[in-house]
Amino acid sequence: ELLQKHPSARTALLGFVRERLLHSLVLEVPLCAGLPNAEKEALPAQFIDKELVDGDDLFNAFHENDGFWVVVDGAAVVGDEADGDKMKELQALRVGDWVCCVSGSTGVEAGVTALARGRTVVASLPHKVLQPLLSLGGKDKLGMARGLSNQVLTGSLRR
């Protein structure tokens, strides 16, 4: 209720959460391990904040694109739409969780879809920034990630 009455408080809180999550990402995800310190420090600024509403795509099963998304506020779900209109949920994502799609690098469709659940804010690393990181070691460098398809991995920055 307080955050609804004072949008500036919500903005400040989300900025703090975002900063902490992206700092943790750079330190904990092996994808960033081989980067020089200056590039590690600059990486969080390359994430783009996106506000989503219920049902908005982070990525679609049939697209071939790369991206890395960190849930900053709200929730998302990764699922399989093979059963027609009803999506089979494979994993729920909440604040601090991340999902990475590498289908653009491999030229193979993602095979699963990620959607916002309710009002959600994600920090998104565009493919043009992610692709060079992947070329340094591929998705194997994403560390302790859970593979939801050959092209999509998830993990968490929560402790």
Side-chain angles (χ1 to χ4, degrees), residues 9-87:
R10 180 179 186 272
T11 301
L13 181 60
L14 288 179
F16 175 79
V17 170
R18 177 191 190 278
E19 180 182 321
R20 298 308 311 151
L21 289 173
L22 296 181
H23 178 72
S24 294
L25 173 88
V26 170
L27 293 176
E28 297 176 19
V29 177
L31 183 67
C32 304
L35 294 175
N37 284 339
E39 287 184 40
K40 281 183 187 179
E41 290 173 13
L43 189 62
Q46 296 184 57
F47 277 80
I48 299 166
D49 294 338
K50 296 183 179 181
E51 288 211 23
L52 308 170
V53 296
D54 192 50
D56 281 354
D57 284 355
L58 279 70
F59 61 86
N60 185 289
F62 306 106
H63 293 160
E64 295 174 14
N65 63 349
D66 292 334
F68 196 106
W69 298 265
V70 179
V71 179
V72 175
D73 186 38
V77 63
V78 181
D80 185 351
E81 294 181 306
D83 295 335
D85 291 340
K86 180 92 168 127
M87 184 166 77

Side-chain angles (χ1 to χ4, degrees), residues 77-92 111-115 117 146 148:
V77 63
V78 181
D80 185 351
E81 294 181 306
D83 295 335
D85 291 340
K86 180 92 168 127
M87 184 166 77
K88 177 184 172 190
E89 184 176 313
L90 300 175
Q91 184 167 353
V112 295
T113 296
L115 303 172
R117 287 293 181 234
R146 176 179 178 211
L148 298 180

Side-chain angles (χ1 to χ4, degrees), residues 55-149:
D56 281 354
D57 284 355
L58 279 70
F59 61 86
N60 185 289
F62 306 106
H63 293 160
E64 295 174 14
N65 63 349
D66 292 334
F68 196 106
W69 298 265
V70 179
V71 179
V72 175
D73 186 38
V77 63
V78 181
D80 185 351
E81 294 181 306
D83 295 335
D85 291 340
K86 180 92 168 127
M87 184 166 77
K88 177 184 172 190
E89 184 176 313
L90 300 175
Q91 184 167 353
L93 304 173
R94 59 186 189 164
V95 174
D97 292 339
W98 58 262
V99 59
C100 180
C101 180
V102 297
S103 60
S105 295
T106 62
V108 178
E109 293 177 348
V112 295
T113 296
L115 303 172
R117 287 293 181 234
R119 184 176 173 188
T120 301
V121 177
V122 294
S124 173
L125 188 64
H127 70 276
K128 67 183 178 204
V129 179
L130 180 61
Q131 282 182 327
L133 295 175
L134 292 171
S135 69
L136 294 174
K139 68 181 186 181
D140 297 331
K141 288 191 72 179
L142 285 169
M144 299 181 60
R146 176 179 178 211
L148 298 180
S149 78

